[in-house]
Amino acid sequence: MERRAEAPPQGLDFTVENVEKLQERGRDCQNLGSWEWLWQTEACWHHAAAEKSSRRLLHDLGFIMETMGTPALHQLYYDPNIENKNLAQKWLMQAQVSPQAWHFSWLLLNMDKVPEIQYFGASALHIKISRYWNDIPADQYESLKTQLFTHITRFASGSKIVLTRLCVALASLALSMMPEAWPCAVADMVRMFQAEDSNVDGRARCLALLELLTVLPEEFQTSRLPQYRKGQVRSVLAQECGSVFPLLEQLLQQQDSPSFIKQKVLKCFSSWVQLEIPLMDCENLIQAAFTSLRDPELFDTAVEAVVNAISQPDAQRYVNTLLKLIPPVLGLQEQLRQAVQSGDMETSHGICRIAVALGENHSRALLDQVEHWQSFLALVNMIMFCTGIPGHYPVNETTSSLTLTFWYTLQDDILSFEPDKQAVYQQVYRPVYFQLVDVLLHKAQFPSDEEYGFWSSDEKEQFRIYRVDISDTLMYVYEMLGAELLSSLYDKLGRLLTNTEQPSTWQHTEALLYGFQSIAETIDVNYSDVVPGLIGLIPRISISNVQLADTVMFTIGALSEWLADHPVMINNVLPLVLQALGNPELSISSVSTLKKICRECKYDLPPYAANIVAVSQEVLMKQIHKTSQCMWLMQALGFLLSALQVEEILKNLHSLITPYIQQLEKLADETPNPSNKLAIIHILGLLSNLFTTLDISHHDDDHESTEVKKVPVQQGPNPVVVVLQQVFQLIQKVLSKWLNDAQVVESVCAIFEKSVKTLLDDFAPMVPQLCEMLGQMYSTIPQASAIDLTRQLVHIFAHEPAHFPPIKALFLLVTSVTLTLFQQGPRDHPDIVDSFMQLLAQALKRKPDLFLYSNLDVKAVFQCGVLSLKFPEAPTVKASCGFFTELLPRCGEIAPVGQVVHENGKVLLQAVLEGIGGQASRSLMDHFAEILFALNKHCFSYLSVWIKEAMQQDGFPSARVSPEQKETFSQQILRERVNKRRVKEMVKEFTLLCRGLHGTEYTADY
């Protein structure tokens, strides 16, 4: 909501005499002075502001606009100097909301001004009327209305942009006055402009009236009226359509009405129907709009009018009128066919919009009219024609995509009927949906290679998205057609691949496979009886094209869960995937498919493991894939190796990673430079992704039932730990040279962090040496990634006595180093502060005893937390709140914590209240509320004293809240010790008061 301006100048007067005096004064201003004079005036403004003299500031502002408005606007529009533009814009924006705008806006509307100046004056009037309506005395309503009518009449033959802004200003005035102060506003507007006036051309008056009537509903839609007033005004406007629609009908029916008048009429009608006018009251104008569709000049406007009219949610109540609209829509089919044949994409697009609007918005209502089922089926078939419109999207047509949502809606409506009625509609519409599948698969076909080669990258991307939309539609249609759909697709694919007399194009084969893939990706096809046949058909496909090969790969990937249940079929498709792995053009599809197979079928892959590893290793060494695909490939190998015996895992790991270890050793000896940095990060990333999925304990399978094919848990060290111990010294050597580089350190930490998350307790043998290395790293150069890894170790191992000593030592060291960092100034390291707060919270959750040690300065940690609450970065503040939410409940059980909270809790409360008072983002209020709740629950006696003392400070936590509001908030907080949700609501309410936002439109969704 806009800030209220100062009180308006005394004697606000919109009479004709006063406005004319103002305009005469403007014309008398000569030699307005150079632009440099405005720079001096800027100093005057700053001086006034410094003296806190807002009335003087506004007086100067009015004086400047009366004398210097023209140069300022010229500066804004034409000066190439961006600083001058910004200065001018700043002044002009202040001017528009000032009380003086009521005066100078009339000056700027002088007919001797250029349109840009006049436009600014008209805009200033609109802003004042729409946002500062309460500034206008009631006895000035009529004179202001008269002046606006006069100026609109004057500009009827002038600048169109100024005319529109004046019409918007009058529309805003009407909305604010109706119904009490101006009960028949629309009828008065029509009567005023229909009155004979020898000074203004009749056609110009007609256009001005149509412009006014067009912007009135538009202004209503964006108005700032309170909700209760909106409903009231909407009702009045709906009744006033009786003064508008007859005029519009008359103008459309007049033979001598020129096209531009009819176009304005249709735009006006289009604007009014969005006020939820009853559809039956629009019937005549809708029919007239259908007639206008034959006129090429009116076509686009008529389409918009018809679509807006029949898309109103309330329209479904008028079923009889909807039924009357079906024949004229069907009557457009010949015009649609001619447009398609002639390649007129705009016309076919417009007609399709009309058909879809009727069908999509009212399918349920029309389906209910059983006796009219044939006419609705005819409309459905018309939309089917639009779906299958000839040509390739988006190059030859852009219409078919409009129809896809209709098919969702129609299916939902059919399936929502009770079983008996649904069965009847299924009988009628199942054949339609089978036809739809054929149409969609035809539309999904790629163009010829030659044609596709001429498409731009943007067109190819639009086609890709279009195919995804088709895929989603096919998946949805499966709900209606069921297994019969898969059988139909399989039969067609089988006939296509076995017909030697009529060889099919690869596009046809690809589209059918794409249909299978669309369904199999999201629907459980494990029990389908056609999938075995499909798996058998896939090797028979002659793959001579990248697009076809991609779809073959993605289809195999979509069937990976089925393959896990039918492992005997794996050998039918795995050779295709491994072969595709060597083709850079199939990088994404082949690697993602192999990853899916290795994840879903890993227990059945040991016979193929050697081959998979060998092929993967070969393509990795050739570096034919991008970095992200190399990472996926390593994840696939991790899944694969997880199902092997430990000896086999170690053997494969040795052959797989030895080349990278050798390369890393070489890089570790080189002088750091950008190229070897990328190589190091790449190798570390490969190891990290491999260890992410290599899990011989099968933690990821815990949700599954135990099966005999699972490999038993092995005794002895985990293979990942064995490898990590072997390369540990090498990693330390790399770190010694790259410790200053955050990306390399992060990559090193990622290896261990992902290994810890995957292996859990199996990682235990690595804990001592990793803790030692982390301590050395962090002591030398603190980095957030090292703290994050420390947090993982605390989470998993801190509660185990055997591993507690190294964890404790690392935690105390990280805390000590970070406290030193705080003393030096932590503002440049919000990531470290964020991670540190999360570490402290984790320690309190898992091992609060860590806060008992004398060499942990709990007071310093507490003060760091308070300081972190004042950071501008929201994640850091959130983490700090999380720390205190864990700390405060420990007051009773951990003596050092209790002592520090009792001695310093008031400082914490002060920081929390400052954040609530406006220093922190509103999105963080729930987190501050949790601290207040914890303080109240665990430190009640102290909080009652602290909050009273804090709230007694003048202007704290905000100058916008009164002592009474602060007292109410304090008492509410102190009373609520059980319901955390209620405390959050209190804090949200109070922060709005503190920010001056309570009751404004900005808090509607808060």
Side-chain angles (χ1 to χ4, degrees):
M1 182 173 287
E2 292 291 333
R3 180 179 60 83
R4 297 295 299 170
E6 294 277 330
Q10 296 299 312
L12 195 60
D13 185 1
F14 299 113
T15 58
V16 175
E17 294 80 7
N18 191 51
V19 170
E20 287 180 347
K21 283 179 186 176
L22 282 169
Q23 293 180 331
E24 185 63 33
R25 180 181 172 190
R27 283 191 289 272
D28 289 343
C29 287
Q30 302 292 330
N31 301 320
L32 295 179
S34 66
W35 184 254
E36 285 71 21
W37 183 81
L38 281 174
W39 289 90
Q40 297 172 16
T41 312
E42 166 81 346
C44 166
W45 282 19
H46 284 304
H47 180 62
E51 292 180 358
K52 310 266 190 232
S53 176
S54 57
R55 289 192 179 278
R56 175 180 172 183
L57 185 61
L58 290 170
H59 173 77
D60 291 340
L61 183 57
F63 175 70
I64 289 171
M65 283 308 304
E66 288 178 21
T67 58
M68 296 302 291
T70 301
L73 285 160
H74 274 285
Q75 197 83 7
L76 177 65
Y77 288 123
Y78 305 119
D79 195 320
N81 187 312
I82 192 66
E83 290 185 5
N84 287 351
K85 276 182 177 291
N86 290 338
L87 178 60
Q89 185 177 32
K90 169 187 168 185
W91 283 340
L92 294 170
M93 288 176 68
Q94 289 176 322
Q96 279 189 319
V97 299
S98 74
Q100 279 70 26
W102 290 117
H103 295 320
F104 67 68
S105 52
W106 302 110
L107 295 173
L108 302 182
L109 285 168
N110 268 331
M111 298 307 289
D112 59 352
K113 303 288 187 186
V114 295
E116 290 90 340
I117 308 298
Q118 295 167 337
Y119 178 84
F120 182 83
S123 294
L125 275 176
H126 171 241
I127 287 173
K128 295 303 293 181
I129 293 169
S130 62
R131 301 184 187 178
Y132 302 101
W133 175 250
N134 292 333
D135 289 355
I136 309 173
D139 61 358
Q140 290 295 314
Y141 290 171
E142 287 301 318
S143 57
L144 178 56
K145 183 204 308 181
T146 302
Q147 280 304 314
L148 285 169
F149 270 122
T150 301
H151 279 76
I152 288 172
T153 305
R154 190 176 296 164
F155 277 92
S157 301
S159 169
K160 298 305 177 193
I161 60 168
V162 180
L163 173 65
T164 298
R165 292 316 293 170
L166 286 169
C167 288
V168 170
L170 181 56
S172 185
L173 177 80
L175 294 173
S176 297
M177 291 178 67
M178 65 173 58
E180 294 86 1
W182 196 359
C184 301
V186 179
D188 287 350
M189 292 174 186
V190 174
R191 190 164 47 253
M192 181 81 70
F193 282 95
Q194 283 182 326
E196 290 296 329
D197 187 336
S198 57
N199 296 327
V200 182
D201 172 64
R203 186 169 288 177
R205 279 188 289 112
C206 179
L207 282 171
L209 173 59
L210 288 172
E211 183 66 26
L212 177 57
L213 293 176
T214 301
V215 301
L216 181 59
E218 294 170 353
E219 179 66 9
F220 170 77
Q221 303 290 359
T222 59
S223 68
R224 296 164 177 257
L225 294 171
Q227 203 60 41
Y228 79 95
R229 284 272 297 137
K230 269 211 162 185
Q232 190 180 37
V233 173
R234 185 194 296 276
S235 176
V236 172
L237 286 174
Q239 294 170 13
E240 292 260 33
C241 76
S243 301
V244 178
F245 284 9
L247 171 66
L248 300 184
E249 289 175 32
Q250 179 187 346
L251 290 171
L252 278 178
Q253 291 165 4
Q254 283 179 356
Q255 297 298 319
D256 59 343
S257 288
S259 288
F260 64 87
I261 292 284
K262 290 183 176 180
Q263 200 165 53
K264 289 294 294 181
V265 168
L266 290 167
K267 284 183 178 177
C268 184
F269 172 55
S270 184
S271 178
W272 274 81
V273 294
Q274 297 181 63
L275 292 172
E276 298 179 12
I277 308 294
L279 191 64
M280 58 186 180
D281 295 343
C282 306
E283 194 173 327
N284 292 340
L285 279 168
I286 294 175
Q287 296 293 348
F290 271 109
T291 304
S292 301
L293 290 168
R294 303 191 196 106
D295 186 339
E297 291 185 40
L298 301 178
F299 181 83
D300 289 341
T301 317
V303 167
E304 208 63 40
V306 172
V307 168
N308 283 341
I310 62 184
S311 297
Q312 292 306 305
D314 199 45
Q316 60 189 347
R317 290 170 40 196
Y318 306 97
V319 178
N320 289 333
T321 305
L322 290 173
L323 290 170
K324 290 179 186 177
L325 293 178
I326 294 180
V329 173
L330 296 177
L332 298 172
Q333 289 183 93
E334 184 55 36
Q335 189 178 356
L336 173 62
R337 288 192 180 91
Q338 290 177 3
V340 171
Q341 288 172 5
S342 62
D344 183 353
M345 291 170 63
E346 287 75 16
T347 299
S348 58
H349 194 86
I351 294 174
C352 176
R353 283 185 64 200
I354 292 172
V356 169
L358 182 58
E360 187 176 313
N361 288 290
H362 308 295
S363 64
R364 178 62 190 242
L366 294 172
L367 280 168
D368 275 327
Q369 309 310 305
V370 180
E371 64 276 15
H372 297 278
W373 71 273
Q374 288 176 310
S375 61
F376 183 61
L377 182 59
L379 177 65
V380 171
N381 285 326
M382 181 179 177
I383 296 174
M384 180 74 76
F385 176 82
C386 295
T387 304
I389 202 162
H392 289 288
Y393 182 95
V395 175
N396 311 116
E397 62 91 7
T398 56
T399 299
S400 58
S401 62
L402 298 176
T403 67
L404 297 180
T405 309
F406 164 75
W407 299 109
Y408 286 82
T409 306
L410 178 61
Q411 179 177 313
D412 282 344
D413 289 335
I414 291 172
L415 296 180
S416 69
F417 286 120
E418 57 275 12
D420 292 345
K421 198 171 183 180
Q422 186 185 132
V424 174
Y425 281 109
Q426 287 257 20
Q427 190 174 356
V428 175
Y429 285 99
R430 275 177 68 87
V432 173
Y433 272 86
F434 273 113
Q435 181 188 352
L436 174 66
V437 171
D438 291 340
V439 168
L440 290 176
L441 292 178
H442 180 74
K443 293 297 294 181
Q445 287 186 23
F446 280 89
S448 67
D449 294 335
E450 183 180 3
E451 183 183 347
Y452 193 64
F454 286 109
W455 284 19
S456 68
S457 57
D458 185 52
E459 288 168 340
K460 290 178 179 178
E461 176 60 14
Q462 287 184 57
F463 183 59
R464 185 194 67 79
I465 295 169
Y466 176 66
R467 277 170 53 96
V468 170
D469 292 339
I470 287 177
S471 173
D472 292 341
T473 309
L474 289 171
M475 178 269 294
Y476 206 74
V477 167
Y478 181 85
E479 185 180 352
M480 174 176 271
L481 302 182
E484 198 177 337
L485 172 56
L486 287 177
S487 298
S488 172
L489 292 175
Y490 172 68
D491 291 342
K492 287 172 183 171
L493 184 62
R495 286 196 298 271
L496 210 63
L497 295 176
T498 56
N499 189 344
T500 55
E501 296 178 5
Q502 291 182 324
S504 63
T505 61
W506 70 263
Q507 287 92 339
H508 198 173
T509 304
E510 190 277 336
L512 285 169
L513 270 180
Y514 187 69
F516 264 112
Q517 175 204 328
S518 303
I519 296 165
E521 276 182 336
T522 49
I523 305 295
D524 183 5
V525 296
N526 282 4
Y527 302 103
S528 170
D529 56 0
V530 303
V531 176
L534 174 64
I535 295 289
L537 283 176
I538 285 177
R540 301 184 60 168
I541 297 173
S542 176
I543 302 177
S544 56
N545 178 277
V546 171
Q547 285 84 16
L548 175 58
D550 260 335
T551 303
V552 168
M553 288 298 107
F554 285 126
T555 304
I556 295 172
L559 296 171
S560 57
E561 288 187 30
W562 185 91
L563 289 170
D565 291 335
H566 305 81
V568 71
M569 304 297 285
I570 291 175
N571 197 40
N572 281 40
V573 293
L574 186 59
L576 292 174
V577 178
L578 295 179
Q579 183 182 355
L581 213 56
N583 186 344
E585 293 182 296
L586 303 178
S587 181
I588 293 176
S589 60
S590 61
V591 174
S592 64
T593 296
L594 181 63
K595 180 181 171 183
K596 286 181 179 179
I597 291 174
C598 289
R599 183 182 64 218
E600 302 298 335
C601 312
K602 60 185 176 185
Y603 300 115
D604 303 296
L605 292 180
Y608 315 101
N611 194 22
I612 294 173
V613 172
V615 173
S616 301
Q617 193 167 356
E618 183 183 354
V619 298
L620 285 168
M621 287 294 105
K622 288 182 178 177
Q623 298 182 345
I624 64 173
H625 296 301
K626 292 182 179 178
T627 299
S628 55
Q629 277 72 60
C630 291
M631 303 304 159
W632 293 357
L633 191 50
M634 278 300 204
Q635 289 178 22
L637 294 173
F639 286 125
L640 173 71
L641 297 180
S642 298
L644 302 181
Q645 296 294 325
V646 171
E647 297 79 10
E648 285 295 310
I649 295 175
L650 290 170
K651 177 183 172 184
N652 281 288
L653 278 178
H654 183 266
S655 66
L656 184 62
I657 67 175
T658 295
Y660 294 110
I661 301 303
Q662 292 171 348
Q663 189 180 352
L664 193 60
E665 287 173 343
K666 182 181 176 184
L667 291 167
D669 291 329
E670 294 179 2
T671 304
N673 64 69
S675 63
N676 58 26
K677 170 187 169 179
L678 291 176
I680 288 171
I681 291 175
H682 180 74
I683 293 171
L684 294 174
L686 291 174
L687 296 175
S688 177
N689 279 275
L690 176 64
F691 298 155
T692 299
T693 55
L694 208 173
D695 176 21
I696 63 170
S697 298
H698 315 299
H699 296 107
D700 60 333
D701 296 326
D702 288 346
H703 63 283
E704 299 176 4
S705 59
T706 305
E707 300 175 21
V708 293
K709 62 182 179 181
K710 279 194 177 181
V711 177
V713 177
Q714 301 294 324
Q715 299 299 316
N718 190 290
V720 173
V721 174
V722 172
V723 172
L724 285 175
Q725 287 174 330
Q726 289 174 352
V727 300
F728 196 82
Q729 286 188 331
L730 175 58
I731 290 175
Q732 285 182 308
K733 184 177 180 182
V734 170
L735 269 178
S736 66
K737 287 195 174 182
W738 290 92
L739 202 52
N740 286 310
D741 192 290
Q743 288 178 293
V744 175
V745 172
E746 192 173 330
S747 298
V748 168
C749 290
I751 291 179
F752 295 104
E753 187 174 358
K754 290 182 178 180
S755 300
V756 168
K757 285 181 178 179
T758 304
L759 303 180
L760 301 178
D761 293 339
D762 289 351
F763 189 82
M766 290 290 299
V767 170
Q769 58 194 125
L770 180 57
C771 287
E772 184 181 353
M773 185 185 83
L774 276 174
Q776 293 171 353
M777 282 170 53
Y778 196 75
S779 300
T780 309
I781 299 179
Q783 296 198 28
S785 53
I787 303 182
D788 294 335
L789 180 51
T790 302
R791 188 177 81 250
Q792 285 296 327
L793 292 172
V794 168
H795 174 66
I796 295 171
F797 296 106
H799 64 286
E800 296 185 10
H803 305 301
F804 182 65
I807 297 288
K808 181 192 79 171
L810 175 61
F811 174 77
L812 294 175
L813 175 63
V814 168
T815 302
S816 174
V817 172
T818 310
L819 291 178
T820 304
L821 188 69
F822 266 89
Q823 292 173 353
Q824 297 167 354
R827 271 302 302 121
D828 294 334
H829 308 284
D831 57 334
I832 292 178
V833 175
D834 184 348
S835 296
F836 181 57
M837 291 296 130
Q838 291 187 56
L839 170 63
L840 294 173
Q842 186 67 259
L844 286 163
K845 278 182 187 176
R846 301 293 289 177
K847 195 68 175 175
D849 291 355
L850 286 167
F851 282 74
L852 287 169
Y853 292 94
S854 57
N855 48 351
L856 177 69
D857 191 340
V858 178
K859 182 178 180 179
V861 168
F862 186 93
Q863 291 171 339
C864 289
V866 172
L867 184 62
S868 304
L869 288 174
K870 301 179 182 182
F871 270 49
E873 292 83 6
T876 304
V877 179
K878 182 179 175 182
S880 307
C881 291
F883 160 59
F884 283 114
T885 305
E886 292 294 334
L887 181 83
L888 293 170
R890 309 291 181 184
C891 287
E893 62 187 81
I894 303 176
V897 170
Q899 182 180 349
V900 168
V901 171
H902 297 159
E903 292 174 357
N904 300 274
K906 185 179 176 182
V907 180
L908 170 61
L909 178 65
Q910 188 102 357
V912 169
L913 291 175
E914 284 175 6
I916 295 171
Q919 296 300 312
S921 166
R922 278 164 51 198
S923 65
L924 294 165
M925 291 305 107
D926 279 355
H927 303 288
F928 282 115
E930 291 194 358
I931 297 180
L932 281 180
F933 184 76
L935 279 168
N936 198 27
K937 193 170 183 180
H938 302 284
C939 312
F940 175 76
S941 58
Y942 291 94
L943 177 63
S944 56
V945 176
W946 295 337
I947 198 167
K948 183 177 180 181
E949 292 175 355
M951 290 300 194
Q952 284 176 348
Q953 302 172 71
D954 289 339
F956 181 87
S958 166
R960 292 188 177 92
V961 287
S962 66
E964 292 77 15
Q965 289 170 323
K966 292 195 285 186
E967 176 64 21
T968 300
F969 174 69
S970 301
Q971 293 305 316
Q972 286 177 331
I973 291 294
L974 291 171
R975 278 197 296 267
E976 190 54 76
R977 303 178 66 185
V978 176
N979 192 333
K980 189 187 294 185
R981 180 185 58 79
R982 183 75 189 98
V983 173
K984 290 180 179 180
E985 290 172 359
M986 295 172 191
V987 169
K988 285 182 178 180
E989 189 84 7
F990 189 63
T991 196
L992 294 178
L993 290 170
C994 291
R995 298 165 198 261
L997 296 174
H998 193 270
T1000 68
E1001 61 188 89
Y1002 295 111
T1003 62
D1005 299 323
Y1006 182 52

